[in-house]
Amino acid sequence: MTPFRFDVSLRDAIIDRLSRFDRRRHEDTGELKHAAVAIVVVESDTPGEAAFLLTKRTPRLRAHGGQWALPGGRLDPGETIEQAALRELEEELGVAAASADILGTLDDYPTRSGYLIAPVVVWIPGGVRVTPNPAEVAAAYRIRCAELFREGSPEIVAIEESDRPIIRLPLPVATVNAPTAAVLYQFREVALAGRDTRVDHFEQPVFAWR
């Protein structure tokens, strides 16, 4: 796996690729609750390498407790997806970011559990201290961006309950399923590899449907 340097060249490349990406917005039928997640690019625990922040939700949460996730949640009334992503990032991980730190956005991803997720890519320069909110986050990890390019990743698996395959990503801490896996796979393809790739046709595992 080739490491990604955490430097201005990578930041500029991500900005350029996202600016040229034709983001797909789903029509708002009123049936889905709007949410935003932050794909936060930071320096890895290995100095000089780029990573992203991944969380494990506390099992005490009523919705999707114990699942692997990106920082995020529902939009408050009047919020944009960018504002919601930054607010949730600070609430969940204690990481404050400004609108100038936003590099761009990816496709909306509708979930079986009734959400329309808008991924927002954020770049946090310099050293960042992550302080998980124990009411929402059981643990937080810096995953090297290179891990998204593991051999055999992503895993595309058929399930009996759907005519669409699920997508999952093997990462050092766990194998992560959609919707998080779908969002991260599109981040890999568009922002890191420069390939226009859609992911809304991928299914989520049955346990994530509720």
Side-chain angles (χ1 to χ4, degrees):
M1 294 180 291
T2 303
F4 287 85
R5 298 296 302 170
F6 185 69
D7 57 22
V8 68
S9 295
L10 177 62
R11 183 180 185 275
D12 289 347
I14 293 175
I15 291 173
D16 177 63
R17 291 162 183 162
L18 292 178
S19 69
R20 290 186 286 107
F21 180 61
D22 184 17
R23 178 176 181 262
R24 180 177 293 171
R25 297 176 182 270
H26 279 254
E27 183 179 352
D28 184 5
T29 63
E31 298 177 355
L32 297 175
K33 298 178 284 288
H34 287 260
V37 296
I39 304 172
V40 187
V41 184
V42 297
E43 187 170 26
S44 168
D45 292 328
T46 302
E49 284 195 41
F52 61 90
L53 298 180
L54 182 70
T55 75
K56 182 151 192 194
R57 293 166 63 84
T58 176
R60 296 188 299 272
L61 291 173
R62 288 180 296 175
H64 308 296
Q67 294 183 21
W68 294 95
L70 298 165
R74 290 182 63 172
L75 272 64
D76 283 345
E79 272 190 323
T80 65
I81 60 171
E82 293 85 359
Q83 290 168 338
L86 296 184
R87 173 180 55 77
E88 290 285 347
L89 173 60
E90 186 165 14
E91 289 178 2
E92 291 186 16
L93 297 180
V95 176
S99 58
D101 298 318
I102 295 173
L103 305 189
T105 57
L106 293 167
D107 285 344
D108 291 343
Y109 183 86
T111 74
R112 286 276 194 170
S113 58
Y115 289 89
L116 187 62
I117 298 175
V120 178
V121 181
V122 182
W123 180 282
I124 307 292
V128 57
R129 180 178 180 182
V130 176
T131 308
N133 176 354
E136 300 185 56
V137 178
Y141 301 88
R142 299 175 194 235
I143 307 296
R144 296 165 56 239
C145 290
E147 295 287 350
L148 295 173
F149 292 84
R150 283 185 169 200
E151 185 176 355
S153 180
E155 298 174 351
I156 309 298
V157 182
I159 58 173
E160 294 181 356
E161 295 85 355
S162 176
D163 59 358
R164 297 186 294 150
I166 65 172
I167 182 172
R168 57 194 188 197
L169 299 177
L171 295 174
V173 291
T175 295
V176 176
N177 288 281
T180 300
V183 170
L184 285 174
Y185 178 60
Q186 190 175 55
F187 169 71
R188 170 190 120 161
E189 289 292 285
V190 176
L192 298 180
R195 296 187 286 258
D196 285 2
T197 302
R198 305 297 178 180
V199 296
D200 57 355
H201 60 286
F202 287 122
E203 183 63 272
Q204 304 116 64
V206 175
F207 67 76
W209 290 14
R210 298 177 294 277

